[in-house]
Amino acid sequence: MPNAARMLAVATTAVLVLAIGSRASAWGEEGHQIVGAMASARLTPEARAAVVALLGNDDLATAGLWADQIRGDPSYDWAKPYHYVNLPRTAQSVDLDRDCPTGECVVAAIPRFLAVACDASKPEKERREALKFAVHFIGDLHQPLHAGYKDDLGGNRIQIVAFPGSSEEKKTNLHALWDSVLIKHRTNGDWRTLAAELARDAPKDLIVVWESNLESADWANESAAITREIYKELPADQRIDQPYYDANIATVMRRLTAGGVRLAAALNRTFAGSVPAHAPSTVPST
Ligand code: ADE
Ligand code: ZN
Ligand code: ZN
């Protein structure tokens, strides 16, 4: 291979490795697509109009992926800590003064981005990006390990083997297991069908409870409570088998459903009575 071609091949491989390696810390793509699709179906006409005015469509399943796609762009490095909040292992609940003193965590980021998304005085690009960040981070905060512990990076440093001895055997880590591996085992790649099933089966009484609580700190506390259980139940040999999946998949499904219901409720509240981007001027032109 000529030198230039070899260098291009090496550079391309490096970019691919970086791109794949950096995808390790959010609900995986399917998680965000499921949360977004469920939310899209639950928007009020007013919120849908505001979303369409900003994004050009009401496809929150796709919009939720953007915040991970820009992770390789250094101009967005400031957003990296916004994907999670970490608590002391002994804490029962999040304390923003202790866990998020500069406001650079997912709990504080969510209301800030929602406020920008509906602020007609802000430039449209800033509002559009704020909406896409809010969609993503509301999803993230419902992944239990996004309210995790700093010493192991929310489980990213805990190596595990998923489904050992099966055709799906995979060396991965605890965080990625909850981001994507458990979901993939459930969907087999067909996230749309799962989103439709979760929407159909969402218990009405839980929807009322979820919609009545739109405080991001409370969502973090719910995730942190599940995180404590995840660490208690972690097998000593770090082998994650079918019984672990059977014991935990309902929790994953409940968090995805709560994320979709809360995302819609948060957007419906945020855009109630707001001025959509490029709204027709109410000032008479004569
Ligand atoms: N990096 C450090 N802590 C993290 C967490 N809880 N979730 C995702 N990424 C992290
Ligand atoms: Zn994320
Ligand atoms: Zn993650």
Side-chain angles (χ1 to χ4, degrees):
M1 209 186 320
N3 252 350
R6 194 189 309 273
M7 279 168 65
L8 183 64
V10 169
T12 309
T13 309
V15 166
L16 276 174
V17 167
L18 280 174
I20 292 165
S22 70
R23 283 166 52 151
S25 54
W27 276 130
E29 287 198 353
E30 286 196 313
H32 286 291
Q33 286 165 318
I34 291 163
V35 168
M38 291 188 71
S40 285
R42 302 182 65 84
L43 293 176
T44 58
E46 197 176 16
R48 188 179 309 283
V51 168
V52 171
L54 285 171
L55 302 180
N57 57 57
D58 62 2
D59 180 5
L60 299 177
T62 303
L65 302 178
W66 175 79
D68 276 339
Q69 290 161 352
I70 48 119
R71 274 169 169 253
D73 179 344
S75 67
Y76 287 102
D77 275 356
W78 53 268
K80 285 192 169 162
Y82 290 17
H83 293 255
Y84 56 86
V85 63
N86 286 321
L87 289 69
R89 283 187 185 259
T90 51
Q92 291 297 307
S93 55
V94 68
D95 172 342
L96 289 183
D97 291 335
R98 178 192 62 204
D99 305 325
C100 190
T102 58
E104 294 168 287
C105 73
V106 66
V107 177
I110 288 170
R112 253 192 345 253
F113 282 124
L114 287 172
V116 172
C118 71
D119 184 344
S121 76
K122 298 276 191 206
E124 194 175 324
K125 176 166 182 272
E126 192 180 339
R127 293 181 65 184
R128 174 164 46 252
E129 294 193 350
L131 174 59
K132 290 189 288 190
F133 272 131
V135 171
H136 180 90
F137 294 142
I138 290 174
D140 270 355
L141 189 47
H142 284 80
Q143 202 280 51
L145 292 169
H146 280 244
Y149 308 129
K150 188 175 170 183
D151 53 59
D152 67 7
L153 304 180
N156 273 296
R157 286 203 179 127
I158 299 189
Q159 300 306 308
I160 57 129
V161 181
F163 306 112
S166 80
S167 59
E168 282 176 68
E169 176 167 326
K170 191 178 164 69
K171 283 199 177 73
T172 180
N173 65 66
L174 183 65
H175 189 98
L177 178 77
W178 280 80
D179 263 356
S180 52
V181 176
L182 294 172
I183 298 175
K184 209 154 268 161
H185 193 63
R186 172 71 174 76
T187 63
N188 222 346
D190 182 7
W191 62 266
R192 285 183 195 279
T193 298
L194 177 57
E197 281 176 25
L198 292 178
R200 186 195 61 205
D201 299 340
K204 301 272 178 301
D205 52 339
L206 277 182
I207 290 177
V208 172
V209 172
W210 290 330
E211 286 182 332
S212 72
N213 186 353
L214 300 183
E215 288 295 327
S216 56
D218 291 329
W219 306 344
N221 289 335
E222 295 168 359
S223 276
I226 300 168
T227 288
R228 288 194 292 278
E229 292 302 313
I230 291 173
Y231 280 82
K232 257 192 247 163
E233 310 286 329
L234 186 65
D237 62 2
Q238 321 311 63
R239 290 163 76 84
I240 303 295
D241 50 13
Q242 184 68 30
Y244 182 98
Y245 170 89
D246 291 339
N248 288 284
I249 193 62
T251 300
V252 177
M253 296 300 112
R254 187 166 38 83
R255 292 309 279 166
L256 289 171
T257 310
V261 168
R262 254 94 170 248
L263 173 55
L267 295 178
N268 290 341
R269 184 184 62 177
T270 296
F271 291 117
S274 79
V275 181
H278 33 239
S281 168
T282 51
V283 181
S285 54
T286 46

